[in-house]
Amino acid sequence: MPRLPLRVTAVQTASGPDTAANLAAADALLPPPGAADLVVLPECFACRGTRETLRRESEPVGGPITRWLAGNAARLGCWMLGGSLPERDGKRIYNTSLLFDRRGHLRAVYRKIHLFHARLADGTVVRESACYAPGSQTCLARIGSWRCGLSICFDLRFPELYRGYAARGAALLLIPADFTDETGRAHWEVLVRARAIENQCFVVAPNQCGRNAQTGVASYGRSLIVDPWGRIMARGGTAPGRLAATLDPALRSGNALGG
């Protein structure tokens, strides 16, 4: 069981194809120093566009996006999860989350395992495997006394991933996302709340909003922070912003939740 409450901020962005512009916009949405213990950014926070753009903007771990995350974690004095960036490793590109501690040290890396493939109602085909290689390893990280299971977006539809995290002691599930408007209206809230309830975990799920300027695909926004009873602690809207909540470990006890 975690010993202390955790002050969490989830940042919702409307990222475009220009990495420098996206990082500048994200800077403006970060909380002030000392206001959060953990800041979580959404999937594709640094770059969102076509697969050609993502390949062009990809970089190895240790590149400018990594340094931006590390610098902000140290500046704010908090843990920071870069929801995902296009990570280049040799000839392969991965959709990768990076977790940094309060001093800006890289503490965990998660490569998205389940890649999204769907045909939307307007006929648009979204196929992540055209750009990314799938990851193969789960990632359970420690943030102080909190064990946290890392995942990204489409992973949300695979409950066995989260059951594995819960079986290994996770109290918090981090699910940065770029859920489309179409799939978000159908399933975003119900899936996020289900993962919280069935695993008796808190869930922090920052989502992209706005429209991908290069593909035209709209994102759902409505980022969520949910407690282990499935109650929504904080909800975003459809514009960029941030939401915050304090996660109380007492809410994970049987007495607090009831039968």
Side-chain angles (χ1 to χ4, degrees), residues 19-103:
T19 297
N22 293 330
L23 297 184
D27 265 325
L29 295 171
L30 296 176
D37 299 309
L38 170 65
V39 173
V40 186
L41 294 156
E43 182 182 26
C44 302
F45 75 94
C47 181
R48 183 169 63 158
T50 62
R51 61 177 177 265
E52 291 79 12
T53 297
L54 293 169
R55 286 187 172 277
R56 185 186 67 242
E57 297 293 305
S58 66
E59 62 180 57
V61 173
I65 301 171
T66 305
R67 294 195 294 271
W68 181 90
L69 289 164
N72 273 303
R75 179 179 66 84
L76 300 179
C78 69
W79 289 74
M80 180 169 287
L81 181 77
S84 84
L85 56 89
E87 178 211 352
R88 186 171 68 251
D89 184 5
K91 295 183 178 180
R92 292 190 169 190
I93 309 296
Y94 295 94
N95 196 357
T96 301
S97 284
L98 302 178
L99 178 67
F100 295 84
D101 67 18
R102 297 178 189 271
R103 295 184 177 182

Coordinates of all heavy atoms in Angstrom, one line a residue, residues 19-103:
T19 N 7.3 20.1 -33.3 CA 7.7 19.7 -32.0 C 8.0 20.9 -31.1 O 7.6 21.0 -29.9 CB 8.9 18.7 -32.0 OG1 8.6 17.5 -32.7 CG2 9.4 18.4 -30.6
A20 N 8.8 21.8 -31.6 CA 9.1 23.0 -30.8 C 7.9 23.8 -30.3 O 7.8 24.2 -29.2 CB 10.1 23.9 -31.6
A21 N 6.9 23.9 -31.2 CA 5.7 24.6 -30.9 C 4.9 23.9 -29.9 O 4.3 24.4 -28.9 CB 4.8 24.9 -32.1
N22 N 4.9 22.6 -30.0 CA 4.1 21.7 -29.0 C 4.8 21.8 -27.6 O 4.0 21.9 -26.6 CB 4.1 20.3 -29.5 CG 3.3 20.1 -30.7 OD1 2.4 20.8 -31.0 ND2 3.7 19.1 -31.5
L23 N 6.1 21.8 -27.5 CA 6.7 21.9 -26.2 C 6.5 23.3 -25.6 O 6.3 23.4 -24.4 CB 8.2 21.6 -26.4 CG 8.6 20.2 -26.9 CD1 10.1 20.0 -26.9 CD2 7.9 19.1 -26.0
A24 N 6.5 24.3 -26.4 CA 6.2 25.6 -25.9 C 4.8 25.7 -25.4 O 4.5 26.3 -24.3 CB 6.4 26.7 -27.0
A25 N 3.8 25.1 -26.1 CA 2.4 25.1 -25.6 C 2.3 24.3 -24.4 O 1.5 24.7 -23.4 CB 1.5 24.6 -26.7
A26 N 3.0 23.2 -24.3 CA 2.9 22.3 -23.1 C 3.5 23.1 -21.9 O 3.0 23.0 -20.8 CB 3.6 21.0 -23.3
D27 N 4.6 23.8 -22.1 CA 5.2 24.6 -21.0 C 4.2 25.5 -20.4 O 4.2 25.6 -19.1 CB 6.3 25.5 -21.6 CG 7.7 24.9 -21.5 OD1 8.0 24.1 -20.5 OD2 8.5 25.1 -22.4
A28 N 3.3 26.1 -21.1 CA 2.3 27.0 -20.6 C 1.2 26.3 -19.8 O 0.5 27.0 -19.0 CB 1.7 27.8 -21.8
L29 N 1.1 25.0 -19.9 CA 0.1 24.3 -19.2 C 0.6 23.6 -18.0 O -0.2 23.0 -17.2 CB -0.5 23.2 -20.2 CG -1.3 23.8 -21.4 CD1 -1.7 22.6 -22.4 CD2 -2.6 24.5 -21.0
L30 N 1.9 23.6 -17.8 CA 2.4 22.9 -16.6 C 2.1 23.6 -15.3 O 2.0 24.9 -15.3 CB 4.0 22.8 -16.8 CG 4.5 21.9 -17.9 CD1 6.0 22.0 -18.0 CD2 4.0 20.5 -17.8
P31 N 2.0 22.9 -14.2 CA 1.7 23.6 -12.9 C 2.9 24.3 -12.4 O 4.0 24.1 -12.9 CB 1.3 22.4 -12.0 CG 2.1 21.3 -12.6 CD 2.1 21.5 -14.1
P32 N 2.8 25.2 -11.5 CA 3.9 25.9 -10.9 C 4.8 25.0 -10.1 O 4.3 23.9 -9.7 CB 3.3 27.0 -10.1 CG 1.9 26.6 -9.8 CD 1.5 25.7 -10.9
P33 N 6.1 25.4 -9.9 CA 6.9 24.5 -9.1 C 6.3 24.2 -7.7 O 5.8 25.1 -7.0 CB 8.2 25.4 -9.0 CG 8.2 26.2 -10.2 CD 6.8 26.5 -10.4
G34 N 6.4 23.0 -7.3 CA 6.0 22.6 -6.0 C 4.5 22.3 -5.9 O 4.0 21.9 -4.8
A35 N 3.7 22.4 -7.0 CA 2.3 22.3 -6.9 C 1.8 20.8 -7.1 O 0.7 20.5 -6.8 CB 1.6 23.2 -7.9
A36 N 2.7 20.0 -7.7 CA 2.4 18.6 -8.0 C 3.5 17.7 -7.6 O 4.7 18.0 -7.6 CB 2.0 18.4 -9.4
D37 N 3.1 16.4 -7.3 CA 4.1 15.4 -7.1 C 4.4 14.6 -8.4 O 5.5 14.1 -8.6 CB 3.7 14.4 -6.0 CG 3.4 15.0 -4.7 OD1 4.4 15.7 -4.2 OD2 2.3 14.8 -4.1
L38 N 3.4 14.6 -9.3 CA 3.4 13.9 -10.5 C 2.7 14.7 -11.6 O 1.5 15.0 -11.4 CB 2.9 12.5 -10.4 CG 2.6 11.7 -11.7 CD1 4.0 11.4 -12.4 CD2 1.8 10.4 -11.4
V39 N 3.3 14.9 -12.7 CA 2.7 15.5 -13.9 C 2.7 14.5 -15.0 O 3.7 13.9 -15.3 CB 3.4 16.8 -14.3 CG1 2.8 17.3 -15.6 CG2 3.3 17.8 -13.3
V40 N 1.5 14.3 -15.6 CA 1.3 13.3 -16.7 C 0.9 14.0 -18.0 O -0.2 14.6 -18.0 CB 0.4 12.2 -16.3 CG1 0.3 11.1 -17.4 CG2 0.7 11.6 -15.0
L41 N 1.7 13.9 -19.0 CA 1.3 14.4 -20.3 C 0.7 13.4 -21.2 O 0.9 12.2 -21.0 CB 2.6 15.0 -21.0 CG 3.2 16.1 -20.3 CD1 4.7 16.2 -20.6 CD2 2.5 17.4 -20.7
P42 N -0.1 13.7 -22.2 CA -0.8 12.8 -23.1 C 0.1 12.1 -24.1 O 1.3 12.5 -24.3 CB -1.9 13.6 -23.7 CG -1.3 14.9 -23.8 CD -0.5 15.1 -22.6
E43 N -0.4 11.1 -24.7 CA 0.2 10.5 -25.9 C 0.5 11.5 -27.0 O -0.3 12.5 -27.1 CB -0.7 9.4 -26.4 CG -0.1 8.6 -27.6 CD -1.0 7.6 -28.2 OE1 -2.3 7.7 -28.0 OE2 -0.5 6.6 -28.8
C44 N 1.6 11.4 -27.7 CA 1.9 12.3 -28.8 C 2.0 13.8 -28.4 O 1.8 14.7 -29.2 CB 0.9 12.2 -29.9 SG 0.8 10.5 -30.6
F45 N 2.3 14.1 -27.1 CA 2.4 15.5 -26.6 C 3.4 16.3 -27.4 O 3.2 17.5 -27.6 CB 2.7 15.5 -25.1 CG 4.1 15.2 -24.8 CD1 5.0 16.3 -24.6 CD2 4.6 14.0 -24.6 CE1 6.3 16.1 -24.3 CE2 5.9 13.7 -24.3 CZ 6.8 14.8 -24.2
A46 N 4.5 15.7 -27.9 CA 5.5 16.4 -28.5 C 5.3 16.5 -30.0 O 5.9 17.4 -30.6 CB 6.9 15.7 -28.2
C47 N 4.6 15.6 -30.6 CA 4.4 15.6 -32.1 C 3.2 14.8 -32.4 O 3.1 13.7 -32.0 CB 5.7 15.1 -32.8 SG 5.5 15.1 -34.6
R48 N 2.3 15.4 -33.3 CA 1.1 14.6 -33.8 C 1.0 15.0 -35.2 O 0.8 16.2 -35.6 CB -0.1 15.0 -33.0 CG -1.3 14.2 -33.4 CD -2.5 14.4 -32.4 NE -2.9 15.8 -32.3 CZ -4.1 16.1 -31.8 NH1 -5.0 15.2 -31.4 NH2 -4.5 17.4 -31.7
G49 N 1.0 14.0 -36.1 CA 0.8 14.3 -37.5 C 0.8 13.0 -38.3 O 0.3 11.9 -37.8
T50 N 1.2 13.0 -39.6 CA 1.2 11.8 -40.4 C 2.4 10.9 -40.0 O 3.3 11.3 -39.2 CB 1.4 12.2 -41.9 OG1 2.7 12.8 -42.0 CG2 0.3 13.1 -42.3
R51 N 2.4 9.7 -40.5 CA 3.6 8.8 -40.2 C 4.9 9.4 -40.7 O 5.9 9.2 -40.1 CB 3.3 7.4 -40.6 CG 3.1 7.2 -42.1 CD 3.0 5.7 -42.5 NE 2.7 5.5 -43.9 CZ 1.5 5.3 -44.4 NH1 0.4 5.5 -43.6 NH2 1.4 5.1 -45.7
E52 N 4.8 10.1 -41.8 CA 6.0 10.7 -42.3 C 6.5 11.8 -41.3 O 7.8 11.9 -41.1 CB 5.8 11.3 -43.7 CG 5.5 10.4 -44.8 CD 4.1 9.8 -44.8 OE1 3.2 10.4 -44.1 OE2 3.8 8.8 -45.5
T53 N 5.6 12.6 -40.8 CA 6.0 13.6 -39.8 C 6.6 12.9 -38.6 O 7.6 13.4 -38.0 CB 4.8 14.5 -39.4 OG1 4.4 15.2 -40.6 CG2 5.2 15.5 -38.3
L54 N 6.0 11.9 -38.1 CA 6.4 11.2 -36.9 C 7.8 10.6 -37.1 O 8.7 10.7 -36.2 CB 5.4 10.2 -36.4 CG 4.1 10.7 -36.0 CD1 3.1 9.6 -35.8 CD2 4.2 11.4 -34.6
R55 N 8.0 10.1 -38.2 CA 9.4 9.5 -38.5 C 10.4 10.6 -38.6 O 11.5 10.5 -38.1 CB 9.4 8.7 -39.8 CG 8.7 7.4 -39.7 CD 8.8 6.5 -40.9 NE 8.3 5.2 -40.7 CZ 9.0 4.2 -40.1 NH1 10.3 4.4 -39.7 NH2 8.5 3.0 -40.0
R56 N 10.0 11.8 -39.2 CA 11.0 12.9 -39.3 C 11.3 13.5 -37.9 O 12.5 13.8 -37.7 CB 10.4 13.9 -40.2 CG 11.4 15.1 -40.5 CD 10.7 16.2 -41.2 NE 9.7 16.9 -40.5 CZ 8.4 17.0 -40.8 NH1 7.9 16.4 -41.9 NH2 7.6 17.6 -40.0
E57 N 10.3 13.5 -37.1 CA 10.5 14.2 -35.8 C 11.0 13.2 -34.7 O 11.3 13.6 -33.6 CB 9.2 14.8 -35.3 CG 8.7 15.9 -36.2 CD 9.6 17.1 -36.1 OE1 9.9 17.6 -35.0 OE2 10.1 17.6 -37.2
S58 N 11.1 11.9 -35.1 CA 11.5 10.9 -34.1 C 13.0 11.2 -33.6 O 13.8 11.8 -34.4 CB 11.4 9.5 -34.7 OG 12.3 9.3 -35.7
E59 N 13.3 10.7 -32.4 CA 14.6 10.9 -31.9 C 14.9 9.8 -30.9 O 14.0 9.2 -30.3 CB 14.7 12.2 -31.2 CG 13.8 12.4 -30.0 CD 13.9 13.8 -29.4 OE1 13.8 14.8 -30.1 OE2 14.2 13.8 -28.2
P60 N 16.2 9.5 -30.6 CA 16.5 8.5 -29.6 C 16.3 9.0 -28.2 O 16.2 10.3 -28.0 CB 18.0 8.2 -29.9 CG 18.5 9.4 -30.5 CD 17.4 10.0 -31.3
V61 N 16.1 8.1 -27.2 CA 16.1 8.6 -25.9 C 17.4 9.3 -25.6 O 18.5 8.9 -25.9 CB 15.9 7.4 -24.9 CG1 16.0 7.8 -23.5 CG2 14.6 6.7 -25.2
G62 N 17.2 10.5 -25.0 CA 18.4 11.4 -24.7 C 18.4 12.6 -25.6 O 19.2 13.5 -25.4
G63 N 17.4 12.6 -26.6 CA 17.4 13.8 -27.5 C 16.7 15.0 -26.9 O 16.4 15.0 -25.7
P64 N 16.3 16.0 -27.7 CA 15.8 17.2 -27.2 C 14.5 17.1 -26.4 O 14.3 17.8 -25.4 CB 15.5 18.1 -28.5 CG 16.5 17.5 -29.4 CD 16.7 16.1 -29.2
I65 N 13.6 16.1 -26.8 CA 12.3 16.0 -26.1 C 12.6 15.4 -24.7 O 12.1 15.8 -23.7 CB 11.4 15.0 -26.9 CG1 11.0 15.6 -28.2 CG2 10.1 14.8 -26.1 CD1 10.2 14.7 -29.1
T66 N 13.5 14.4 -24.7 CA 14.0 13.8 -23.4 C 14.5 14.9 -22.5 O 14.2 15.0 -21.3 CB 15.0 12.7 -23.6 OG1 14.5 11.8 -24.5 CG2 15.4 12.0 -22.3
R67 N 15.4 15.8 -23.0 CA 16.0 16.8 -22.2 C 14.9 17.8 -21.7 O 15.0 18.3 -20.6 CB 17.1 17.5 -23.0 CG 18.3 16.6 -23.3 CD 19.5 17.4 -23.7 NE 19.3 18.0 -25.0 CZ 19.5 17.5 -26.2 NH1 19.9 16.2 -26.3 NH2 19.3 18.2 -27.3
W68 N 13.9 18.1 -22.5 CA 12.8 19.0 -22.1 C 12.1 18.4 -20.9 O 11.8 19.1 -19.9 CB 11.9 19.2 -23.3 CG 10.7 20.1 -23.0 CD1 10.7 21.5 -23.2 CD2 9.4 19.8 -22.5 NE1 9.5 22.0 -22.8 CE2 8.7 20.9 -22.4 CE3 8.8 18.5 -22.2 CZ2 7.3 20.9 -22.0 CZ3 7.5 18.5 -21.7 CH2 6.8 19.7 -21.6
L69 N 11.8 17.1 -21.0 CA 11.1 16.4 -19.9 C 11.9 16.4 -18.6 O 11.5 16.8 -17.5 CB 10.7 15.0 -20.3 CG 9.6 14.8 -21.3 CD1 9.7 13.4 -21.9 CD2 8.3 15.1 -20.7
A70 N 13.2 16.1 -18.8 CA 14.1 16.0 -17.6 C 14.2 17.4 -17.0 O 14.2 17.5 -15.7 CB 15.4 15.5 -18.0
G71 N 14.4 18.4 -17.8 CA 14.6 19.7 -17.3 C 13.3 20.2 -16.5 O 13.5 20.9 -15.5
N72 N 12.2 19.9 -17.1 CA 10.9 20.4 -16.4 C 10.7 19.6 -15.1 O 10.2 20.2 -14.1 CB 9.7 20.3 -17.4 CG 9.6 21.5 -18.2 OD1 9.5 22.6 -17.7 ND2 9.6 21.4 -19.5
A73 N 11.0 18.3 -15.1 CA 10.8 17.6 -13.9 C 11.7 18.2 -12.8 O 11.2 18.4 -11.6 CB 11.2 16.1 -14.1
A74 N 12.9 18.5 -13.1 CA 13.8 19.1 -12.1 C 13.4 20.5 -11.7 O 13.4 20.9 -10.5 CB 15.3 19.1 -12.6
R75 N 12.9 21.3 -12.7 CA 12.5 22.7 -12.4 C 11.3 22.7 -11.5 O 11.2 23.5 -10.6 CB 12.2 23.4 -13.7 CG 11.7 24.8 -13.6 CD 11.5 25.5 -14.9 NE 10.4 24.9 -15.7 CZ 9.1 25.2 -15.5 NH1 8.8 26.1 -14.6 NH2 8.2 24.6 -16.2
L76 N 10.3 21.8 -11.8 CA 9.1 21.8 -11.0 C 9.2 21.0 -9.7 O 8.3 21.0 -8.9 CB 7.9 21.2 -11.9 CG 7.6 21.9 -13.2 CD1 6.5 21.2 -13.9 CD2 7.2 23.3 -12.9
G77 N 10.3 20.2 -9.6 CA 10.4 19.4 -8.4 C 9.4 18.3 -8.3 O 9.0 17.9 -7.2
C78 N 9.1 17.6 -9.4 CA 8.1 16.6 -9.4 C 8.5 15.5 -10.4 O 9.4 15.6 -11.2 CB 6.7 17.2 -9.9 SG 6.7 17.6 -11.7
W79 N 7.8 14.3 -10.2 CA 7.9 13.3 -11.2 C 7.2 13.7 -12.5 O 6.2 14.5 -12.4 CB 7.3 12.0 -10.7 CG 8.1 11.3 -9.6 CD1 8.3 11.8 -8.3 CD2 8.9 10.2 -9.7 NE1 9.1 10.9 -7.6 CE2 9.5 9.9 -8.4 CE3 9.2 9.3 -10.7 CZ2 10.3 8.8 -8.2 CZ3 10.1 8.2 -10.5 CH2 10.6 8.0 -9.2
M80 N 7.6 13.3 -13.6 CA 7.0 13.7 -14.9 C 7.0 12.5 -15.8 O 8.0 11.9 -16.1 CB 7.6 14.9 -15.5 CG 7.0 15.3 -16.8 SD 7.6 16.9 -17.4 CE 6.8 18.0 -16.2
L81 N 5.8 12.2 -16.4 CA 5.6 11.2 -17.4 C 5.4 11.8 -18.7 O 4.3 12.5 -18.9 CB 4.5 10.2 -17.1 CG 4.3 9.1 -18.1 CD1 5.4 8.0 -17.9 CD2 2.9 8.5 -18.1
G82 N 6.3 11.7 -19.7 CA 6.1 12.1 -21.0 C 5.2 11.1 -21.7 O 5.7 10.0 -22.1
G83 N 3.9 11.4 -21.9 CA 2.9 10.4 -22.3 C 3.4 9.5 -23.5 O 3.3 8.3 -23.4
S84 N 3.8 10.1 -24.5 CA 4.6 9.4 -25.6 C 5.3 10.3 -26.5 O 4.8 11.4 -26.8 CB 3.7 8.4 -26.3 OG 3.0 9.0 -27.4
L85 N 6.4 9.8 -27.0 CA 7.2 10.5 -28.0 C 7.6 9.5 -29.1 O 7.6 8.3 -28.8 CB 8.4 11.2 -27.4 CG 9.4 10.4 -26.6 CD1 10.4 9.8 -27.5 CD2 10.0 11.2 -25.5
P86 N 7.8 9.9 -30.3 CA 8.3 8.9 -31.3 C 9.8 8.6 -31.1 O 10.7 9.5 -31.4 CB 8.0 9.7 -32.7 CG 8.1 11.1 -32.3 CD 7.7 11.3 -30.9
E87 N 10.1 7.5 -30.5 CA 11.4 7.1 -30.2 C 12.1 6.3 -31.3 O 11.6 5.3 -31.8 CB 11.4 6.2 -28.9 CG 12.8 5.8 -28.5 CD 12.8 4.4 -27.8 OE1 11.8 3.9 -27.5 OE2 14.0 3.9 -27.7
R88 N 13.2 6.8 -31.8 CA 14.0 6.1 -32.8 C 15.0 5.3 -32.2 O 15.8 5.7 -31.4 CB 14.6 7.2 -33.8 CG 15.3 6.5 -35.0 CD 15.7 7.5 -36.0 NE 16.8 8.4 -35.6 CZ 16.7 9.7 -35.3 NH1 15.5 10.3 -35.3 NH2 17.7 10.4 -34.8
D89 N 15.0 4.0 -32.6 CA 16.0 3.1 -32.1 C 16.5 2.3 -33.3 O 15.9 1.3 -33.8 CB 15.4 2.1 -31.1 CG 16.5 1.2 -30.5 OD1 17.7 1.3 -30.8 OD2 16.1 0.3 -29.7
G90 N 17.6 2.7 -33.9 CA 18.1 2.1 -35.1 C 17.1 2.4 -36.2 O 16.8 3.6 -36.5
K91 N 16.6 1.4 -36.9 CA 15.7 1.6 -38.0 C 14.2 1.6 -37.6 O 13.3 1.8 -38.4 CB 15.9 0.5 -39.1 CG 17.2 0.6 -39.8 CD 17.3 -0.4 -40.9 CE 18.7 -0.3 -41.7 NZ 18.8 -1.3 -42.8
R92 N 14.0 1.3 -36.3 CA 12.6 1.2 -35.8 C 12.2 2.5 -35.0 O 13.0 3.1 -34.4 CB 12.5 0.0 -34.8 CG 12.6 -1.4 -35.6 CD 12.3 -2.5 -34.7 NE 12.1 -3.7 -35.4 CZ 11.6 -4.9 -34.9 NH1 11.2 -4.9 -33.6 NH2 11.5 -5.9 -35.6
I93 N 10.9 2.7 -35.1 CA 10.3 3.8 -34.3 C 9.3 3.2 -33.3 O 8.5 2.3 -33.7 CB 9.6 4.8 -35.3 CG1 10.5 5.3 -36.4 CG2 9.0 6.0 -34.5 CD1 11.7 6.0 -36.0
Y94 N 9.4 3.6 -32.1 CA 8.5 3.1 -31.1 C 7.6 4.3 -30.5 O 8.1 5.5 -30.5 CB 9.2 2.5 -29.9 CG 9.9 1.2 -30.3 CD1 11.3 1.2 -30.7 CD2 9.3 0.0 -30.3 CE1 11.9 0.1 -31.0 CE2 10.0 -1.2 -30.6 CZ 11.3 -1.1 -31.0 OH 11.9 -2.3 -31.3
N95 N 6.4 4.0 -30.1 CA 5.6 5.0 -29.4 C 5.9 4.8 -27.9 O 5.4 3.9 -27.3 CB 4.1 4.7 -29.7 CG 3.2 5.9 -29.4 OD1 3.7 6.9 -28.8 ND2 1.9 5.8 -29.7
T96 N 6.6 5.7 -27.3 CA 7.3 5.5 -26.0 C 7.0 6.5 -24.9 O 7.0 7.7 -25.2 CB 8.8 5.5 -26.3 OG1 9.1 4.4 -27.2 CG2 9.6 5.2 -25.0
S97 N 6.7 6.0 -23.7 CA 6.6 6.9 -22.5 C 7.9 6.9 -21.8 O 8.5 5.8 -21.6 CB 5.5 6.3 -21.6 OG 4.2 6.6 -22.1
L98 N 8.2 8.0 -21.2 CA 9.4 8.2 -20.4 C 9.0 8.8 -19.1 O 8.3 9.8 -19.0 CB 10.4 9.1 -21.1 CG 10.9 8.7 -22.5 CD1 11.9 9.7 -23.0 CD2 11.6 7.3 -22.4
L99 N 9.5 8.2 -18.0 CA 9.2 8.6 -16.6 C 10.4 9.2 -16.0 O 11.5 8.5 -15.9 CB 8.6 7.5 -15.8 CG 8.3 7.8 -14.3 CD1 7.1 8.8 -14.2 CD2 7.9 6.5 -13.5
F100 N 10.4 10.4 -15.4 CA 11.5 11.1 -14.8 C 11.2 11.4 -13.3 O 10.0 11.7 -13.0 CB 11.8 12.4 -15.5 CG 12.3 12.2 -16.9 CD1 11.4 12.0 -18.0 CD2 13.6 12.1 -17.2 CE1 11.8 11.8 -19.2 CE2 14.1 11.9 -18.5 CZ 13.1 11.8 -19.5
D101 N 12.2 11.3 -12.5 CA 12.0 11.6 -11.1 C 12.2 13.1 -10.8 O 12.4 13.9 -11.7 CB 12.9 10.8 -10.2 CG 14.4 11.1 -10.3 OD1 14.8 12.2 -10.9 OD2 15.2 10.2 -9.9
R102 N 12.1 13.5 -9.6 CA 12.1 14.9 -9.2 C 13.5 15.6 -9.5 O 13.5 16.9 -9.6 CB 11.9 15.1 -7.7 CG 10.5 14.6 -7.2 CD 10.4 14.8 -5.7 NE 9.2 14.1 -5.2 CZ 8.0 14.7 -5.1 NH1 7.9 16.0 -5.5 NH2 7.0 14.1 -4.6
R103 N 14.5 14.9 -9.7 CA 15.8 15.5 -10.1 C 16.0 15.4 -11.6 O 17.1 15.8 -12.1 CB 16.9 14.7 -9.4 CG 16.9 14.9 -7.9 CD 18.1 14.2 -7.2 NE 18.1 14.4 -5.8 CZ 19.0 14.0 -5.0 NH1 20.1 13.3 -5.4 NH2 19.0 14.2 -3.7

